[in-house]
Amino acid sequence: VLGRSRSGIAFSIRTGNDQTVDSFVPYRQLVRSLRGQTDADGTFTDWTFDEETHAAGIRENPTATLCFHIMRGLVAYLFNRTGDLLRHTDAAMPLLPHIGSTPLTALAHLLRAVAVARRVSVAGPAERPSFLAELDVSLDWVRARAATAPKNFLHMVRLIEAERAWALADFSQASAAFEAALRDVEPCKSPRHQALIAERAALCHLEHGLERYGRLLLTDAHRLYDAWGADAKVHRLEADYPFLLDAGPTAG
């Protein structure tokens, strides 16, 4: 992925396509963040790139700005940085009309639903209905795509349903939805999707005292992140859950 983003950026520079350059850069920085090549997880800054300067430079380019916020939101979700996830999806959603219906749109709705679920989990009774209504707008958008392309979208529906139920403290429903997400993501053959769902399911089960199953799921997530090449995420999991060091990144 990093090689493809570099090639795309180099070609766009040669052809003078500044719009595409600005849109590709966040993908490159996403990969660098996952590899541990930036200053810290959740930020894109490294010795060749300054995040704040880039964001300021693309302010008049809504497509590039959307790409920036979605890639930053994905890193925030992967590294469990709720504040950043909320901030970047707040900024991204008003920009969606600039790109129509694309794979990036689906990712935006997934991240937004998860972000709003975090708000639901801490909201009082008066605020919760409005947050749930906002969450369900994104959930319904993904459901509509899953109706015609289940292999591409059904696991995303199940993940959002799981995060929604978890936010509402409905462990029975959350557990069932995570189990469905783990099943429905298998046809994708994507370590990225599989790893994220396994990790989120693991954290939910650990939070509710199901330590044995939670550890098994975390071991799966650890292996899958390693297969994806997300070294920084692998190391973070090992730091947070030292038992993973004994299992090793290739444990099944």
PDB file of all heavy atoms in Angstrom, residues 181-205:
ATOM      1  N   ALA A 181     -20.403 -10.188  12.830  1.00  0.00           N
ATOM      2  CA  ALA A 181     -19.390  -9.436  12.088  1.00  0.00           C
ATOM      3  C   ALA A 181     -18.172 -10.302  11.810  1.00  0.00           C
ATOM      4  O   ALA A 181     -17.610 -10.269  10.710  1.00  0.00           O
ATOM      5  CB  ALA A 181     -18.984  -8.190  12.874  1.00  0.00           C
ATOM      6  N   LEU A 182     -17.745 -11.077  12.801  1.00  0.00           N
ATOM      7  CA  LEU A 182     -16.607 -11.974  12.612  1.00  0.00           C
ATOM      8  C   LEU A 182     -16.894 -13.010  11.524  1.00  0.00           C
ATOM      9  O   LEU A 182     -16.014 -13.371  10.737  1.00  0.00           O
ATOM     10  CB  LEU A 182     -16.269 -12.673  13.928  1.00  0.00           C
ATOM     11  CG  LEU A 182     -15.658 -11.785  15.018  1.00  0.00           C
ATOM     12  CD1 LEU A 182     -15.703 -12.490  16.373  1.00  0.00           C
ATOM     13  CD2 LEU A 182     -14.227 -11.412  14.662  1.00  0.00           C
ATOM     14  N   ARG A 183     -18.125 -13.463  11.467  1.00  0.00           N
ATOM     15  CA  ARG A 183     -18.517 -14.428  10.429  1.00  0.00           C
ATOM     16  C   ARG A 183     -18.586 -13.763   9.057  1.00  0.00           C
ATOM     17  O   ARG A 183     -18.063 -14.278   8.071  1.00  0.00           O
ATOM     18  CB  ARG A 183     -19.880 -15.023  10.785  1.00  0.00           C
ATOM     19  CG  ARG A 183     -20.424 -16.017   9.763  1.00  0.00           C
ATOM     20  CD  ARG A 183     -21.916 -16.235   9.980  1.00  0.00           C
ATOM     21  NE  ARG A 183     -22.689 -15.039   9.699  1.00  0.00           N
ATOM     22  CZ  ARG A 183     -23.672 -14.582  10.490  1.00  0.00           C
ATOM     23  NH1 ARG A 183     -24.009 -15.211  11.603  1.00  0.00           N
ATOM     24  NH2 ARG A 183     -24.332 -13.480  10.167  1.00  0.00           N
ATOM     25  N   ASP A 184     -19.219 -12.595   9.008  1.00  0.00           N
ATOM     26  CA  ASP A 184     -19.471 -11.956   7.714  1.00  0.00           C
ATOM     27  C   ASP A 184     -18.231 -11.320   7.109  1.00  0.00           C
ATOM     28  O   ASP A 184     -18.223 -11.014   5.909  1.00  0.00           O
ATOM     29  CB  ASP A 184     -20.579 -10.908   7.860  1.00  0.00           C
ATOM     30  CG  ASP A 184     -21.938 -11.536   8.167  1.00  0.00           C
ATOM     31  OD1 ASP A 184     -22.146 -12.700   7.780  1.00  0.00           O
ATOM     32  OD2 ASP A 184     -22.774 -10.865   8.796  1.00  0.00           O
ATOM     33  N   VAL A 185     -17.188 -11.085   7.911  1.00  0.00           N
ATOM     34  CA  VAL A 185     -15.975 -10.487   7.371  1.00  0.00           C
ATOM     35  C   VAL A 185     -15.084 -11.535   6.716  1.00  0.00           C
ATOM     36  O   VAL A 185     -14.204 -11.195   5.924  1.00  0.00           O
ATOM     37  CB  VAL A 185     -15.189  -9.735   8.477  1.00  0.00           C
ATOM     38  CG1 VAL A 185     -14.450 -10.701   9.412  1.00  0.00           C
ATOM     39  CG2 VAL A 185     -14.223  -8.719   7.869  1.00  0.00           C
ATOM     40  N   GLU A 186     -15.311 -12.796   6.991  1.00  0.00           N
ATOM     41  CA  GLU A 186     -14.432 -13.848   6.450  1.00  0.00           C
ATOM     42  C   GLU A 186     -14.337 -13.838   4.925  1.00  0.00           C
ATOM     43  O   GLU A 186     -13.236 -13.998   4.372  1.00  0.00           O
ATOM     44  CB  GLU A 186     -14.876 -15.217   6.958  1.00  0.00           C
ATOM     45  CG  GLU A 186     -14.572 -15.438   8.433  1.00  0.00           C
ATOM     46  CD  GLU A 186     -14.973 -16.821   8.906  1.00  0.00           C
ATOM     47  OE1 GLU A 186     -15.457 -17.615   8.077  1.00  0.00           O
ATOM     48  OE2 GLU A 186     -14.794 -17.102  10.104  1.00  0.00           O
ATOM     49  N   PRO A 187     -15.448 -13.649   4.198  1.00  0.00           N
ATOM     50  CA  PRO A 187     -15.327 -13.647   2.723  1.00  0.00           C
ATOM     51  C   PRO A 187     -14.463 -12.513   2.172  1.00  0.00           C
ATOM     52  O   PRO A 187     -13.998 -12.594   1.032  1.00  0.00           O
ATOM     53  CB  PRO A 187     -16.780 -13.500   2.248  1.00  0.00           C
ATOM     54  CG  PRO A 187     -17.606 -13.992   3.389  1.00  0.00           C
ATOM     55  CD  PRO A 187     -16.854 -13.588   4.621  1.00  0.00           C
ATOM     56  N   CYS A 188     -14.245 -11.458   2.962  1.00  0.00           N
ATOM     57  CA  CYS A 188     -13.441 -10.329   2.480  1.00  0.00           C
ATOM     58  C   CYS A 188     -11.965 -10.686   2.325  1.00  0.00           C
ATOM     59  O   CYS A 188     -11.252 -10.075   1.531  1.00  0.00           O
ATOM     60  CB  CYS A 188     -13.551  -9.148   3.439  1.00  0.00           C
ATOM     61  SG  CYS A 188     -15.188  -8.442   3.543  1.00  0.00           S
ATOM     62  N   LYS A 189     -11.512 -11.659   3.112  1.00  0.00           N
ATOM     63  CA  LYS A 189     -10.107 -12.057   3.085  1.00  0.00           C
ATOM     64  C   LYS A 189      -9.185 -10.858   3.313  1.00  0.00           C
ATOM     65  O   LYS A 189      -8.105 -10.746   2.731  1.00  0.00           O
ATOM     66  CB  LYS A 189      -9.750 -12.728   1.750  1.00  0.00           C
ATOM     67  CG  LYS A 189     -10.625 -13.916   1.381  1.00  0.00           C
ATOM     68  CD  LYS A 189     -10.504 -15.047   2.380  1.00  0.00           C
ATOM     69  CE  LYS A 189     -11.344 -16.245   1.965  1.00  0.00           C
ATOM     70  NZ  LYS A 189     -11.331 -17.332   2.977  1.00  0.00           N
ATOM     71  N   SER A 190      -9.628  -9.935   4.174  1.00  0.00           N
ATOM     72  CA  SER A 190      -8.854  -8.721   4.434  1.00  0.00           C
ATOM     73  C   SER A 190      -8.382  -8.710   5.881  1.00  0.00           C
ATOM     74  O   SER A 190      -9.206  -8.623   6.798  1.00  0.00           O
ATOM     75  CB  SER A 190      -9.711  -7.479   4.173  1.00  0.00           C
ATOM     76  OG  SER A 190      -9.091  -6.321   4.705  1.00  0.00           O
ATOM     77  N   PRO A 191      -7.072  -8.807   6.145  1.00  0.00           N
ATOM     78  CA  PRO A 191      -6.604  -8.752   7.522  1.00  0.00           C
ATOM     79  C   PRO A 191      -6.996  -7.468   8.231  1.00  0.00           C
ATOM     80  O   PRO A 191      -7.227  -7.461   9.436  1.00  0.00           O
ATOM     81  CB  PRO A 191      -5.077  -8.859   7.394  1.00  0.00           C
ATOM     82  CG  PRO A 191      -4.783  -9.208   6.009  1.00  0.00           C
ATOM     83  CD  PRO A 191      -5.996  -8.988   5.178  1.00  0.00           C
ATOM     84  N   ARG A 192      -7.096  -6.361   7.467  1.00  0.00           N
ATOM     85  CA  ARG A 192      -7.456  -5.077   8.096  1.00  0.00           C
ATOM     86  C   ARG A 192      -8.827  -5.149   8.727  1.00  0.00           C
ATOM     87  O   ARG A 192      -9.007  -4.828   9.909  1.00  0.00           O
ATOM     88  CB  ARG A 192      -7.403  -3.955   7.065  1.00  0.00           C
ATOM     89  CG  ARG A 192      -7.991  -2.629   7.561  1.00  0.00           C
ATOM     90  CD  ARG A 192      -7.726  -1.525   6.566  1.00  0.00           C
ATOM     91  NE  ARG A 192      -8.417  -1.702   5.310  1.00  0.00           N
ATOM     92  CZ  ARG A 192      -9.629  -1.167   5.049  1.00  0.00           C
ATOM     93  NH1 ARG A 192     -10.270  -0.491   5.975  1.00  0.00           N
ATOM     94  NH2 ARG A 192     -10.182  -1.338   3.858  1.00  0.00           N
ATOM     95  N   HIS A 193      -9.830  -5.555   7.956  1.00  0.00           N
ATOM     96  CA  HIS A 193     -11.186  -5.639   8.485  1.00  0.00           C
ATOM     97  C   HIS A 193     -11.287  -6.712   9.573  1.00  0.00           C
ATOM     98  O   HIS A 193     -11.918  -6.499  10.608  1.00  0.00           O
ATOM     99  CB  HIS A 193     -12.164  -5.971   7.350  1.00  0.00           C
ATOM    100  CG  HIS A 193     -12.298  -4.906   6.326  1.00  0.00           C
ATOM    101  ND1 HIS A 193     -13.092  -3.791   6.502  1.00  0.00           N
ATOM    102  CD2 HIS A 193     -11.739  -4.759   5.096  1.00  0.00           C
ATOM    103  CE1 HIS A 193     -13.026  -3.013   5.434  1.00  0.00           C
ATOM    104  NE2 HIS A 193     -12.209  -3.579   4.566  1.00  0.00           N
ATOM    105  N   GLN A 194     -10.672  -7.843   9.347  1.00  0.00           N
ATOM    106  CA  GLN A 194     -10.743  -8.938  10.307  1.00  0.00           C
ATOM    107  C   GLN A 194     -10.083  -8.552  11.625  1.00  0.00           C
ATOM    108  O   GLN A 194     -10.609  -8.846  12.706  1.00  0.00           O
ATOM    109  CB  GLN A 194     -10.085 -10.188   9.721  1.00  0.00           C
ATOM    110  CG  GLN A 194     -10.841 -10.775   8.542  1.00  0.00           C
ATOM    111  CD  GLN A 194     -10.074 -11.887   7.852  1.00  0.00           C
ATOM    112  OE1 GLN A 194      -8.845 -11.879   7.827  1.00  0.00           O
ATOM    113  NE2 GLN A 194     -10.783 -12.849   7.296  1.00  0.00           N
ATOM    114  N   ALA A 195      -8.933  -7.893  11.545  1.00  0.00           N
ATOM    115  CA  ALA A 195      -8.214  -7.507  12.755  1.00  0.00           C
ATOM    116  C   ALA A 195      -9.009  -6.512  13.587  1.00  0.00           C
ATOM    117  O   ALA A 195      -9.128  -6.663  14.816  1.00  0.00           O
ATOM    118  CB  ALA A 195      -6.857  -6.905  12.378  1.00  0.00           C
ATOM    119  N   LEU A 196      -9.556  -5.501  12.937  1.00  0.00           N
ATOM    120  CA  LEU A 196     -10.301  -4.479  13.668  1.00  0.00           C
ATOM    121  C   LEU A 196     -11.522  -5.075  14.357  1.00  0.00           C
ATOM    122  O   LEU A 196     -11.783  -4.793  15.538  1.00  0.00           O
ATOM    123  CB  LEU A 196     -10.729  -3.365  12.710  1.00  0.00           C
ATOM    124  CG  LEU A 196     -11.581  -2.250  13.301  1.00  0.00           C
ATOM    125  CD1 LEU A 196     -10.864  -1.553  14.450  1.00  0.00           C
ATOM    126  CD2 LEU A 196     -11.978  -1.244  12.224  1.00  0.00           C
ATOM    127  N   ILE A 197     -12.267  -5.913  13.655  1.00  0.00           N
ATOM    128  CA  ILE A 197     -13.465  -6.505  14.256  1.00  0.00           C
ATOM    129  C   ILE A 197     -13.083  -7.432  15.407  1.00  0.00           C
ATOM    130  O   ILE A 197     -13.719  -7.418  16.470  1.00  0.00           O
ATOM    131  CB  ILE A 197     -14.288  -7.241  13.190  1.00  0.00           C
ATOM    132  CG1 ILE A 197     -14.891  -6.225  12.212  1.00  0.00           C
ATOM    133  CG2 ILE A 197     -15.394  -8.080  13.825  1.00  0.00           C
ATOM    134  CD1 ILE A 197     -15.542  -6.852  10.994  1.00  0.00           C
ATOM    135  N   ALA A 198     -12.039  -8.234  15.219  1.00  0.00           N
ATOM    136  CA  ALA A 198     -11.602  -9.133  16.293  1.00  0.00           C
ATOM    137  C   ALA A 198     -11.182  -8.346  17.528  1.00  0.00           C
ATOM    138  O   ALA A 198     -11.507  -8.716  18.668  1.00  0.00           O
ATOM    139  CB  ALA A 198     -10.454 -10.013  15.810  1.00  0.00           C
ATOM    140  N   GLU A 199     -10.468  -7.238  17.318  1.00  0.00           N
ATOM    141  CA  GLU A 199     -10.026  -6.435  18.461  1.00  0.00           C
ATOM    142  C   GLU A 199     -11.207  -5.796  19.193  1.00  0.00           C
ATOM    143  O   GLU A 199     -11.279  -5.838  20.429  1.00  0.00           O
ATOM    144  CB  GLU A 199      -9.073  -5.334  18.009  1.00  0.00           C
ATOM    145  CG  GLU A 199      -8.570  -4.499  19.182  1.00  0.00           C
ATOM    146  CD  GLU A 199      -7.846  -3.240  18.769  1.00  0.00           C
ATOM    147  OE1 GLU A 199      -7.790  -2.940  17.559  1.00  0.00           O
ATOM    148  OE2 GLU A 199      -7.336  -2.537  19.667  1.00  0.00           O
ATOM    149  N   ARG A 200     -12.129  -5.197  18.437  1.00  0.00           N
ATOM    150  CA  ARG A 200     -13.264  -4.551  19.089  1.00  0.00           C
ATOM    151  C   ARG A 200     -14.123  -5.574  19.837  1.00  0.00           C
ATOM    152  O   ARG A 200     -14.593  -5.320  20.951  1.00  0.00           O
ATOM    153  CB  ARG A 200     -14.109  -3.800  18.050  1.00  0.00           C
ATOM    154  CG  ARG A 200     -13.396  -2.640  17.376  1.00  0.00           C
ATOM    155  CD  ARG A 200     -12.910  -1.602  18.361  1.00  0.00           C
ATOM    156  NE  ARG A 200     -14.036  -1.000  19.087  1.00  0.00           N
ATOM    157  CZ  ARG A 200     -13.897  -0.252  20.177  1.00  0.00           C
ATOM    158  NH1 ARG A 200     -12.699  -0.029  20.690  1.00  0.00           N
ATOM    159  NH2 ARG A 200     -14.955   0.264  20.757  1.00  0.00           N
ATOM    160  N   ALA A 201     -14.318  -6.753  19.236  1.00  0.00           N
ATOM    161  CA  ALA A 201     -15.062  -7.812  19.921  1.00  0.00           C
ATOM    162  C   ALA A 201     -14.334  -8.239  21.187  1.00  0.00           C
ATOM    163  O   ALA A 201     -14.960  -8.459  22.238  1.00  0.00           O
ATOM    164  CB  ALA A 201     -15.250  -9.004  18.983  1.00  0.00           C
ATOM    165  N   ALA A 202     -13.011  -8.348  21.101  1.00  0.00           N
ATOM    166  CA  ALA A 202     -12.225  -8.735  22.264  1.00  0.00           C
ATOM    167  C   ALA A 202     -12.389  -7.735  23.408  1.00  0.00           C
ATOM    168  O   ALA A 202     -12.617  -8.123  24.568  1.00  0.00           O
ATOM    169  CB  ALA A 202     -10.753  -8.841  21.880  1.00  0.00           C
ATOM    170  N   LEU A 203     -12.291  -6.457  23.094  1.00  0.00           N
ATOM    171  CA  LEU A 203     -12.388  -5.430  24.138  1.00  0.00           C
ATOM    172  C   LEU A 203     -13.767  -5.429  24.784  1.00  0.00           C
ATOM    173  O   LEU A 203     -13.892  -5.239  26.004  1.00  0.00           O
ATOM    174  CB  LEU A 203     -12.067  -4.063  23.554  1.00  0.00           C
ATOM    175  CG  LEU A 203     -10.646  -3.890  23.005  1.00  0.00           C
ATOM    176  CD1 LEU A 203     -10.443  -2.478  22.480  1.00  0.00           C
ATOM    177  CD2 LEU A 203      -9.610  -4.220  24.074  1.00  0.00           C
ATOM    178  N   CYS A 204     -14.794  -5.639  23.993  1.00  0.00           N
ATOM    179  CA  CYS A 204     -16.147  -5.705  24.540  1.00  0.00           C
ATOM    180  C   CYS A 204     -16.277  -6.888  25.497  1.00  0.00           C
ATOM    181  O   CYS A 204     -16.815  -6.753  26.605  1.00  0.00           O
ATOM    182  CB  CYS A 204     -17.151  -5.816  23.396  1.00  0.00           C
ATOM    183  SG  CYS A 204     -18.884  -5.877  23.932  1.00  0.00           S
ATOM    184  N   HIS A 205     -15.779  -8.043  25.101  1.00  0.00           N
ATOM    185  CA  HIS A 205     -15.894  -9.227  25.947  1.00  0.00           C
ATOM    186  C   HIS A 205     -15.034  -9.096  27.206  1.00  0.00           C
ATOM    187  O   HIS A 205     -15.468  -9.495  28.299  1.00  0.00           O
ATOM    188  CB  HIS A 205     -15.518 -10.476  25.156  1.00  0.00           C
ATOM    189  CG  HIS A 205     -16.597 -10.927  24.222  1.00  0.00           C
ATOM    190  ND1 HIS A 205     -16.800 -10.333  22.994  1.00  0.00           N
ATOM    191  CD2 HIS A 205     -17.557 -11.887  24.354  1.00  0.00           C
ATOM    192  CE1 HIS A 205     -17.833 -10.924  22.393  1.00  0.00           C
ATOM    193  NE2 HIS A 205     -18.302 -11.861  23.189  1.00  0.00           N
TER     194      HIS A 205
END
